[in-house]
């Protein structure tokens, strides 16, 4: 008997009919003589709705209590899905993250899975149960419920596949795989048959929310192939794996965008050794992940230092950074939360000139102003006005001829 690990996202279990549809798909997998472990997300917009309730109660919620609340979304869907499977006459049991042995660090709302003890899952499989595990949650060393960051059920699934030594992890969602860009923004985007972990990770980190970045990292760590496919059709999907051919040279593989960007600038910073550390060490200590960093050339030993963070962290960043601005003798600290970013990604860009120039001219032809630029070996990212992001994605998709195919 092979072991299959599957994950169904929020839109795939948004109402009772969709839950029954997923139950039928799970039963069909079981009928092919597989052991089946399933991770499930909260129904539809449940997580957003719970966060909205939090905002109505307090502007400074305790992260521990937010996690206690958010984890209930996945508990609803796991129990309902299990009941739907049982109703079809199949043995099934639901397990919360704690019951499934998912141990995390203590970083509430963005915890990382440290280890999975799959004893209980194995015991249930031996009893012939289909096992439904609540995604997105675990338990910390301090025995508090944690959540893994938005979209984190993908990571639960891949980590379970790794610890159970499954051959593949199947991620079922509301699109037919990984596309050259978000198909909801670019209708002519193409589904990719396959993509490497490194390219998928860059796309995910830069905002392609079809996969949670940490899930891709865990997949690469355990060398587990990840199939992304639709829960509504039988299309073949996209396989994320390590053996993708490097044949496609000189080509952008995909475009990612992110509307969740805030920029912070420390203005009038004295340019002397230790200043960057004085700014970024306290941010790291507060567990704030800083994205693009740019330091201007200094004039008369005074410079400006700009960096980006996600909008949800902006308030916390300003609380940390304001006293530091004074301590280091900088003039002021200003922020802008109306930005977004767009990235082109592809291993085929490595050591090949011309991609940046083509990207910048495609954006300028649309009258889009670039505020910051960041690069890695296989990526170029431009920070631009949020209102221009969708236009930018479409313009770049055309400029790099991604609708044409390899
Ligand atoms: P789920 O609830 O199943 O986890 P998500 O909403 O998290 O689903 O992710 C699927 C969505 O990701 C799609 O509906 C699509 O709009 C978006 N998306 C962004 N970039 C891409 C891409 N490159 N390929 C496919 N989907 C993408
Ligand atoms: N329900 C969580 C979220 O909406 C986790 C997930 O869907 O993966 O972010
Ligand atoms: Mg998701």
């Amino acid at each position: 008997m092979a072991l299959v690990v599957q994950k169904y996202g929020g839109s795939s279990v948004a109402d009772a009919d969709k839950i029954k549809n997923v139950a039928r798909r799970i039963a069909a997998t079981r009928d092919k003589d597989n052991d089946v472990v399933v991770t499930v997300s909260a129904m539809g917009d449940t997580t957003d709705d719970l966060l909205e309730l939090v905002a109505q109660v307090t502007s400074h919620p305790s992260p521990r209590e937010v996690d206690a609340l958010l984890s209930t979304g996945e508990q609803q869907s796991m129990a309902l899905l299990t009941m739907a499977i049982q109703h079809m006459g199949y043995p099934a049991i639901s397990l919360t993250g704690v019951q499934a042995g998912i141990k995390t660090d203590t970083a509430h709302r963005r915890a990382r899975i440290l280890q999975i003890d799959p004893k209980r899952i194995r015991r249930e499989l031996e009893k012939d149960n289909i096992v439904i595990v609540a995604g997105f949650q675990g338990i910390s060393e301090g025995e508090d419920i944690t959540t893994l960051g938005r979209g984190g059920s993908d990571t639960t699934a891949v980590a379970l596949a790794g610890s159970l030594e499954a051959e593949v992890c199947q991620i079922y969602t509301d699109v037919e795989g990984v596309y050259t860009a978000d198909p909801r923004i670019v209708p002519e985007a193409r589904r990719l048959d396959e993509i490497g972990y490194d390219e998928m990770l860059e796309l995910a980190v830069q905002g392609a929310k079809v996969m949670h970045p940490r899930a891709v990292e865990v997949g690469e760590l355990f060398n587990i192939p990840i199939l992304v496919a639709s829960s509504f059709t039988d299309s073949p999907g996209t396989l994320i794996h390590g053996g993708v051919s490097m044949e496609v040279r000189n080509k952008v593989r995909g475009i990612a965008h992110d509307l969740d960007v805030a920029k912070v600038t420390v203005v009038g910073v004295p340019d002397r050794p230790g200043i960057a550390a004085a700014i970024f060490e306290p941010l790291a200590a507060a567990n704030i992940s800083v994205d693009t960093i740019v330091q201007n050339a200094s004039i008369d030993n005074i410079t400006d230092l700009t960096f980006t963070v996600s909008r949800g962290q902006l308030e916390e960043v300003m609380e940390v950074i304001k006293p530091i601005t004074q301590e280091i003798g900088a003039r002021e600290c200003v922020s802008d939360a109306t930005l977004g970013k767009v990235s082109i990604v592809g291993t085929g860009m490595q050591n090949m000139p011309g991609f940046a120039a083509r990207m910048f001219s495609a954006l300028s032809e649309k009258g889009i102003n670039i505020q910051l630029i960041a690069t890695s070996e296989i990526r170029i990212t431009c920070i631009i006005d949020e209102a221009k992001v969708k236009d930018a994605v479409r313009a770049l998709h055309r400029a790099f001829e991604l609708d044409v195919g390899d």
Side-chain angles (χ1 to χ4, degrees):
M1 235 189 200
L3 172 72
V4 176
V5 175
Q6 301 185 328
K7 177 252 171 179
Y8 292 91
S11 42
S12 307
V13 292
D15 56 36
D17 282 338
K18 290 190 172 129
I19 288 177
K20 288 192 224 166
N21 167 57
V22 166
R24 281 191 292 273
R25 295 180 73 101
I26 293 168
T29 310
R30 174 51 175 261
D31 286 343
K32 288 184 196 131
D33 215 19
N34 294 304
D35 275 336
V36 192
V37 175
V38 175
T39 298
V40 72
S41 293
M43 293 169 68
D45 297 330
T46 303
T47 309
D48 289 329
D49 296 345
L50 291 172
L51 285 170
E52 181 52 44
L53 274 173
V54 171
Q56 287 174 31
V57 172
T58 169
S59 57
H60 280 86
S62 140
R64 180 189 184 279
E65 302 312 322
V66 174
D67 277 353
L69 180 70
L70 293 188
S71 63
T72 63
E74 270 69 13
Q75 289 190 43
Q76 291 178 0
S77 50
M78 76 173 195
L80 284 165
L81 178 58
T82 304
M83 289 183 242
I85 296 169
Q86 289 169 343
H87 184 80
M88 293 177 66
Y90 291 75
I93 187 167
S94 69
L95 299 175
T96 63
V98 178
Q99 290 171 315
I102 299 175
K103 314 264 165 57
T104 74
D105 63 16
T106 53
H108 282 291
R109 304 194 62 177
R110 44 180 179 269
R112 287 163 73 95
I113 296 178
L114 297 177
Q115 190 203 332
I116 296 184
D117 175 1
K119 260 199 322 280
R120 175 75 189 269
I121 297 179
R122 288 208 189 282
R123 217 161 56 226
E124 299 301 339
L125 289 173
E126 273 159 27
K127 287 192 240 162
D128 265 352
N129 276 318
I130 296 171
V131 183
I132 312 295
V133 180
F136 176 56
Q137 56 181 265
I139 184 166
S140 70
E141 291 129 341
E143 303 201 333
D144 287 318
I145 293 172
T146 51
T147 64
L148 310 180
R150 297 305 305 269
S153 296
D154 297 337
T155 301
T156 307
V158 180
L160 281 173
S163 88
L164 293 165
E165 297 174 353
E167 267 167 35
V168 60
C169 180
Q170 302 170 341
I171 304 281
Y172 289 107
T173 182
D174 58 1
V175 285
E176 296 198 337
V178 179
Y179 284 66
T180 47
D182 188 338
R184 297 189 196 286
I185 292 183
V186 185
E188 59 278 14
R190 274 184 317 111
R191 181 182 57 77
L192 299 166
D193 291 332
E194 58 173 2
I195 183 168
Y197 292 117
D198 41 4
E199 289 178 322
M200 189 65 235
L201 182 60
E202 289 274 6
L203 286 171
V205 169
Q206 298 307 323
K209 72 172 178 150
V210 64
M211 277 301 291
H212 193 237
R214 181 83 184 123
V216 186
E217 279 179 345
V218 174
E220 183 165 26
L221 195 70
F222 287 99
N223 200 18
I224 298 266
I226 304 167
L227 178 77
V228 182
S230 164
S231 9
F232 304 104
T233 70
D234 288 320
S235 91
T238 301
L239 193 66
I240 306 168
H241 64 124
V244 176
S245 125
M246 296 280 291
E247 292 295 288
V248 196
R249 299 298 301 170
N250 207 10
K251 187 92 174 117
V252 169
R253 184 85 65 175
I255 296 169
H257 73 279
D258 190 350
L259 297 171
D260 180 19
V261 179
K263 178 177 85 168
V264 178
T265 304
V266 190
V267 185
V269 181
D271 193 5
R272 57 166 192 264
I275 287 291
I279 293 175
F280 292 110
E281 271 173 5
L283 291 174
N287 205 4
I288 288 161
S289 91
V290 172
D291 193 18
T292 308
I293 303 174
V294 176
Q295 182 175 334
N296 289 356
S298 73
I299 300 172
D300 294 335
N301 276 334
I302 298 288
T303 185
D304 295 341
L305 218 148
T306 300
F307 58 91
T308 59
V309 291
S310 67
R311 284 183 201 167
Q313 295 202 299
L314 183 57
E315 209 175 309
E316 214 180 322
V317 169
M318 293 310 269
E319 271 169 29
V320 174
I321 213 99
K322 283 228 159 104
I324 299 169
T325 307
Q326 286 200 330
E327 274 165 37
I328 62 176
R331 196 161 68 233
E332 61 174 337
C333 179
V334 292
S335 66
D336 179 353
T338 62
L339 299 176
K341 62 183 172 179
V342 59
S343 307
I344 57 171
V345 171
T347 46
M349 290 160 53
Q350 232 160 348
N351 305 322
M352 300 289 284
F355 284 93
R358 208 155 137 202
M359 181 176 193
F360 303 154
S361 67
L363 295 179
S364 90
E365 275 163 25
K366 286 275 163 197
I368 297 169
N369 185 38
I370 301 168
Q371 298 210 15
L372 298 173
I373 299 164
T375 61
S376 81
E377 279 192 3
I378 63 165
R379 166 179 63 88
I380 305 171
T381 298
C382 293
I383 312 279
I384 60 177
D385 185 353
E386 172 190 5
K388 299 285 170 79
V389 167
K390 289 184 181 168
D391 273 352
V393 176
R394 287 188 275 260
L396 292 171
H397 202 270
R398 260 194 309 278
F400 289 99
E401 298 172 346
L402 295 190
D403 49 336
V404 184
D406 298 338

